[in-house]
Amino acid sequence: RDLHSFPTRRSSDLWSYWVSVTAASTGEIGDYGTRVLQDGAAHYWPLDETSGESAEDIVAARALTFNGSAYTRGTESVLSAGAGTTFAPTGFAGTTESQASPRAFTVETWFRTSTSTGGPIISFGSSAGSDSTSKDRMVYMRDDGTVAFMLNRGPLQTLVSGQSYNDGAWHHVVATMSPTDGAVLYVDGAAVASDATMTMGWIYTGFWRVGGDSVSGLEGAPSSSNFTGEIDEVAVAPKIGRASCRERV
């Protein structure tokens, strides 16, 4: 199949593991996936699989492994083609190969839920398969449906949306952090919260998590440590990207 090459980053750059990789042809990933790759994704999990216990990372080959039994593969995607995954109160997914935490980054995903118990949507934790003792760079939903973005630099710093999004509709969430410009939380293309003092997270080795992790100590901590709802098209970039204006196709 046709492959796209992505350039090697020097070890002096923000993420030392950002190496030469290949991704599927545009005919296989579609226009949306092509834009994600063009924006410099270091990880991209489309969650298009209809069965199985893993989700392919089509950029860096760091697949997500599903834990627990409370998830359903092959559900409706936010896109016109492909599939998504429905998470329930005891299911989550995580990478299994540890990596350094990013200094500057953008995380993005789509979600749809009507939950009243909130839960983590995407995060970077110290454990691959159980509750993390160290957690950071977390986007989560609070019980009232507002969306929050947490950085852990000793004391937790948190951005919170002013609006609730547990309305059963698809929403696109993006969180960015720059050591020079601070953090911004976007929902559906609009900046809903920002803080120029949020310029760093905890530096440690960990794993990307989707749909669940420890919520202990969070501001407005949700009742559930696992997200109940659909998650689709998850991506991480080692820079401040253009994902804030992503649209469905």
Side-chain angles (χ1 to χ4, degrees):
R1 60 183 179 177
D2 294 334
L3 298 173
H4 303 289
S5 295
F6 292 82
T8 300
R9 291 176 65 92
R10 302 181 302 275
S11 59
S12 59
D13 286 331
L14 295 177
W15 283 8
S16 61
Y17 64 82
W18 179 245
V19 296
S20 181
V21 295
T22 57
S25 69
T26 55
E28 292 172 327
I29 64 173
D31 293 340
Y32 181 94
T34 299
R35 293 206 300 269
V36 172
L37 299 182
Q38 289 173 343
D39 286 346
H43 302 288
Y44 176 33
W45 301 281
L47 298 175
D48 280 342
E49 297 85 358
T50 57
S51 62
E53 299 180 350
S54 66
E56 179 186 11
D57 176 357
I58 63 172
V59 178
R62 291 178 184 264
L64 295 172
T65 296
F66 284 82
N67 295 267
S69 58
Y71 60 88
T72 303
R73 311 298 310 276
T75 57
E76 183 182 8
S77 173
V78 66
L79 305 180
S80 58
T85 297
T86 299
F87 291 80
T90 60
F92 69 94
T95 56
T96 58
E97 184 178 350
S98 64
Q99 59 195 63
S101 55
R103 297 180 184 272
F105 64 93
T106 298
V107 295
E108 66 163 311
T109 191
W110 290 85
F111 68 88
R112 180 169 65 176
T113 186
S114 57
T115 186
S116 60
T117 58
I121 298 172
I122 182 170
S123 61
F124 190 80
S126 59
S127 174
S130 59
D131 281 356
S132 296
T133 55
S134 300
K135 55 186 178 292
D136 198 0
R137 299 159 175 84
M138 178 184 286
V139 175
Y140 62 98
M141 179 170 282
R142 308 198 305 178
D143 288 357
D144 62 2
T146 55
V147 175
F149 172 43
M150 178 274 285
L151 290 176
N152 184 356
R153 59 180 299 177
L156 302 187
Q157 294 180 284
T158 307
L159 300 176
V160 182
S161 69
Q163 178 180 336
S164 297
Y165 298 96
N166 56 346
D167 56 3
W170 281 108
H171 297 285
H172 184 239
V173 61
V174 178
T176 69
M177 192 277 285
S178 162
T180 56
D181 298 324
V184 185
L185 176 65
Y186 300 87
V187 181
D188 297 334
V192 298
S194 63
D195 187 339
T197 71
M198 293 175 62
T199 56
M200 66 179 296
W202 198 347
I203 305 301
Y204 63 101
T205 298
F207 308 85
W208 287 107
R209 309 261 306 223
V210 175
D213 205 347
S214 169
V215 296
S216 174
L218 295 180
E219 179 181 332
S223 300
S224 177
S225 59
N226 296 86
F227 183 77
T228 298
E230 292 152 289
I231 297 177
D232 201 14
E233 305 295 325
V234 183
V236 179
K239 61 180 182 179
I240 307 304
R242 293 178 293 173
S244 58
C245 59
R246 194 85 66 207
E247 296 178 353
R248 297 169 66 178
V249 293

